[in-house]
Amino acid sequence: MNYEKLAELLFPNITKTTEDYEALYPQRDLKEGARVTRFAPSPTGYLHIGGLFGALVDVLTAKATDGVSYLRIEDTDKKREIDDGVSAIINGFDSFGIDFDEGVTGFNQEKGAYGPYTQSQRAEIYQTVAKDLVKKGLAYPCFCTAEELSAIREQQEKGDALIWGYFGKWAKCRDLTFEEIEENIKAGKPYVLRFRSDGQEDKRIFFDDIIRGKIEMPENIIDEVLLKSDGIPTYHFAHACDDHFMRTTHVIRGEEWISSVPKHIALFKACGFRVPKYAHTPQVMKIDEEDGTKRKLSKRKDPEAAVSYFVEQGFPKESLIEYLLTLLNSNFEDWRRANPTADAFSFPFNLKKMSPSGCLFDLVKLTDVSKNVISVKKAKDIYDTLVVWAKEYDEEFYTLLTRDEEYAVNILNIDREVPKPRKDIAKWSEVKDYVSYFYDEIYTPDYTFPENLQKEDVAAILKAYSEVVDSADDKDTWFSKIKDLCEPLGFTPNVKEYKKNPDAFKGHVGDISTVIRIALTSRKNTPDLHAIIALLGNDKVKARINEAIASL
Ligand code: GLU
């Protein structure tokens, strides 16, 4: 067979060669050991938490080695694609501060010298490499119809073939003559382009997975489809061309791709491309609430499978990143203790320290991490982020917050910017309820006074307090006023004394402040009561006390 002639017959319009692209996309000029990584999602409509996890691994690996990370959109499967898939991915990454060095940055936008970074814009590259494969006798057109392919499959299922697929003796079109091919093409028969595998059933391949170590698998023997009948490449072929010309050094991707590695290695080699290094990351799993088993996060059952969930809930981006880092490398927490204020992206991430087994995503742990993250933020920073969140997700709260910025910042500053800040808030969607008693519009009184106190005593405490309250008092004055209320009302300012002799008193100073706290906020637990009173002001405090007395 004259493969040159066949290549011209199949690709009359392709005038470039693989060498032209080698020149167009030269080796990157990076320092020794720098890693080039890519995140390569298909735009299927939403960003999965596993995607964020994977992208983080790519970005951190590149950063830790002074390399390059890039975002490539793999949109060759038009059936799976949805309209706004690319924006969903980009917005998801933007929301969490994932910043690739190169690649797609928005609709029809990209940066970097190795583009285009969207597969649908790279048709000529794939066709050129495919043409060169035909010239080398490593690819051939296959005219089998869907019916013929299922007939082959049926026979394989009946027989004792260990592998099913288009290979060896089953590969009918492997040995068509030039004349047969030419005739089919003239007759307008549709065809795909297949890889001519030289793999053997009894041979094995070995590769080193950075996360999993040595892996041994049977060699690929399948004549995989490279170009579909519309000329669009399959994922397998496209990614090999792209990873090569984008000069990827490390292919880091989900473990579901391990089984494809033999196929990929065969393709890289056939194309004359250097095989990249591989690292297959574990799945993000969770413990099922119902049956306690470990399973994959599912879009259908778990709202937290979609990255947008964390945006809507208002988890600060640092919280999610911080939490994912604890899942990625077990030494992250030590590093964090040693570098409490460092940017998480400067963590010296190490692929080798990743565990190969599925990692458990635990919303409760994320919540704890987030409370820590938020507790050390400045009130004004919290306010600024909260307002942006509220504008999008809670109009009413947004209006209240922005009506009086200083008031809102002061509320957020209670028990904050102190050595032991409160760790009450994990996400922005909780804040409205948390601060509701500061805003009449969203506050509904609902008092449950301590059971150990008589109604008359509660009323007496409140009445006495409303006579002395002054929201301008400093903390000491405020507290001595509370203490002074005790004895006339039959309480003691001394908790120890009360404990020694509980029958001698109606209660102690703590009961007094609890009653006041509940009357003002309807809660047993709040941040510093003195600060709350100072912010509410005399009028509101007195009005709330009267309301509480009336309710008794
Ligand atoms: N487009 C593939 C996917 O979304 C990427 C696989 C890879 O990273 O090689 O699953």
Side-chain angles (χ1 to χ4, degrees):
M1 164 85 79
N2 183 337
Y3 291 127
E4 285 279 343
K5 217 169 124 197
L6 177 61
E8 286 315 319
L9 176 68
L10 299 180
F11 299 98
N13 299 323
I14 295 296
T15 52
K16 289 201 175 87
T17 65
T18 304
E19 278 67 46
D20 294 324
Y21 288 109
E22 296 290 353
L24 190 59
Y25 302 116
Q27 288 298 338
R28 291 169 183 270
D29 185 17
L30 296 170
K31 73 169 210 198
E32 174 107 20
R35 295 177 171 184
V36 180
T37 63
R38 86 300 197 269
F39 187 70
S42 302
T44 49
Y46 82 117
L47 184 60
H48 190 278
I49 186 73
L52 185 63
F53 181 82
L56 193 55
V57 177
D58 290 315
V59 168
L60 290 171
T61 299
K63 275 213 164 50
T65 58
D66 291 327
V68 175
S69 62
Y70 67 86
L71 177 65
R72 178 171 77 220
I73 297 296
E74 303 209 323
D75 58 347
T76 57
D77 189 351
K78 291 289 172 194
K79 272 185 251 133
R80 284 175 61 214
E81 189 170 334
I82 72 136
D83 276 354
D84 219 18
V86 176
S87 323
I89 291 166
I90 306 255
N91 293 343
F93 286 142
D94 277 354
S95 311
F96 290 97
I98 301 281
D99 191 12
F100 295 96
D101 301 304
E102 290 177 10
V104 178
T105 54
F107 181 69
N108 269 344
Q109 281 176 327
E110 58 175 38
K111 57 179 179 183
Y114 288 80
Y117 294 89
T118 298
Q119 287 187 330
S120 57
Q121 294 166 22
R122 300 172 62 82
E124 199 187 356
I125 301 176
Y126 308 128
Q127 306 252 333
T128 302
V129 178
K131 183 174 186 178
D132 279 350
L133 284 175
V134 175
K135 281 189 206 162
K136 291 191 274 181
L138 293 174
Y140 64 90
C142 166
F143 299 89
C144 286
T145 60
E147 292 73 40
E148 285 172 294
L149 293 175
S150 22
I152 295 176
R153 176 66 181 253
E154 252 169 58
Q155 276 188 310
Q156 289 177 333
E157 283 178 23
K158 267 190 240 146
D160 53 3
L162 284 179
I163 307 179
W164 299 335
Y166 204 82
F167 68 98
K169 67 170 180 180
W170 307 99
K172 292 200 235 170
C173 295
R174 228 177 190 237
D175 301 313
L176 294 180
T177 63
F178 182 85
E179 289 68 32
E180 287 168 319
I181 294 173
E182 193 176 35
E183 203 176 301
N184 281 341
I185 287 179
K186 275 199 188 132
K189 278 199 193 170
Y191 67 90
V192 300
L193 191 76
R194 282 189 188 273
F195 177 50
R196 189 190 301 277
S197 168
D198 66 354
Q200 290 167 28
E201 223 159 318
D202 55 354
K203 272 209 188 147
R204 306 190 65 79
I205 63 143
F206 302 84
F207 68 96
D208 263 315
D209 186 288
I210 302 180
I211 298 172
R212 285 151 211 278
K214 275 217 178 341
I215 297 186
E216 183 189 341
M217 283 165 115
E219 195 169 68
N220 172 66
I221 57 168
I222 305 285
D223 284 359
E224 194 60 47
V225 175
L226 304 177
L227 298 177
K228 295 177 257 184
S229 56
D230 52 7
I232 303 226
T234 55
Y235 154 72
H236 301 296
F237 182 51
H239 105 281
C241 298
D242 296 343
D243 280 332
H244 176 69
F245 289 121
M246 295 178 184
R247 306 298 176 185
T248 311
T249 62
H250 288 65
V251 167
I252 305 170
R253 59 185 174 188
E255 64 183 11
E256 66 276 20
W257 293 105
I258 293 181
S259 59
S260 303
V261 172
K263 199 176 284 176
H264 295 169
I265 290 183
L267 281 178
F268 274 94
K269 287 190 170 157
C271 296
F273 301 156
R274 187 197 296 159
V275 180
K277 297 245 178 355
Y278 287 102
H280 289 90
T281 54
Q283 301 262 21
V284 179
M285 318 276 280
K286 75 177 276 181
I287 302 282
D288 189 279
E289 286 97 359
E290 272 157 36
D291 61 13
T293 55
K294 203 167 158 183
R295 61 167 174 78
K296 256 168 71 175
L297 276 167
S298 111
K299 186 186 176 189
R300 205 166 38 80
K301 290 195 213 154
D302 313 307
E304 75 271 28
V307 166
S308 54
Y309 167 84
F310 302 94
V311 180
E312 286 154 21
Q313 290 286 310
F315 281 98
K317 58 181 175 195
E318 306 91 308
S319 302
L320 190 57
I321 298 298
E322 195 85 3
Y323 175 59
L324 289 178
L325 275 162
T326 65
L327 297 182
L328 287 178
N329 267 183
S330 57
N331 58 327
F332 174 72
E333 281 160 274
D334 287 342
W335 177 84
R336 179 46 93 205
R337 268 188 288 277
N339 304 276
T341 55
D343 178 4
F345 286 94
S346 67
F347 170 64
F349 174 73
N350 187 344
L351 268 180
K352 283 207 171 97
K353 288 197 179 128
M354 261 184 104
S355 152
S357 51
C359 50
L360 273 187
F361 190 87
D362 182 347
L363 266 179
V364 177
K365 285 210 184 114
L366 167 66
T367 301
D368 286 344
V369 168
S370 195
K371 283 180 178 167
N372 277 325
V373 166
I374 293 181
S375 74
V376 294
K377 283 181 180 288
K378 295 219 178 328
K380 174 69 166 84
D381 294 342
I382 294 190
Y383 175 82
D384 290 342
T385 329
L386 176 62
V387 161
V388 173
W389 177 87
K391 186 165 193 203
E392 179 83 22
Y393 298 103
D394 192 339
E395 271 292 332
E396 182 191 37
F397 193 32
Y398 173 77
T399 310
L400 293 175
L401 286 168
T402 50
R403 187 174 66 195
D404 184 347
E405 172 172 338
E406 199 189 330
Y407 182 60
V409 173
N410 284 333
I411 294 171
L412 295 168
N413 202 32
I414 301 180
D415 289 349
R416 188 174 297 285
E417 297 179 36
V418 291
K420 280 208 166 164
R422 280 179 88 87
K423 297 181 178 175
D424 286 356
I425 303 170
K427 51 187 183 179
W428 307 135
S429 52
E430 289 171 355
V431 180
K432 186 184 189 179
D433 179 57
Y434 188 68
V435 303
S436 60
Y437 52 83
F438 283 105
Y439 296 97
D440 287 339
E441 293 85 343
I442 51 174
Y443 173 62
T444 322
D446 176 17
Y447 321 103
T448 320
F449 288 104
E451 279 173 14
N452 57 320
L453 302 181
Q454 302 295 323
K455 270 190 190 175
E456 304 75 65
D457 292 322
V458 170
I461 292 170
L462 291 175
K463 199 160 160 295
Y465 183 60
S466 78
E467 277 159 20
V468 297
V469 63
D470 183 354
S471 61
D473 284 343
D474 62 27
K475 196 160 181 174
D476 289 340
T477 315
W478 170 80
F479 195 55
S480 52
K481 280 185 181 175
I482 303 264
K483 281 205 265 191
D484 291 345
L485 293 180
C486 291
E487 270 162 29
L489 293 166
F491 288 72
T492 168
N494 187 331
V495 182
K496 268 196 204 141
E497 194 180 1
Y498 176 80
K499 285 199 172 142
K500 249 193 259 158
N501 198 0
D503 295 335
F505 307 97
K506 289 181 176 168
H508 59 74
V509 62
D511 296 313
I512 303 251
S513 55
T514 298
V515 167
I516 298 170
R517 188 187 309 272
I518 293 173
L520 298 181
T521 68
S522 296
R523 297 183 193 188
K524 262 209 195 103
N525 275 311
T526 66
D528 182 36
L529 185 56
H530 165 257
I532 293 174
I533 291 168
L535 278 174
L536 286 174
N538 287 330
D539 293 347
K540 200 169 277 183
V541 168
K542 286 188 184 163
R544 291 236 172 125
I545 287 181
N546 289 336
E547 217 176 306
I549 294 176
S551 81
L552 286 163

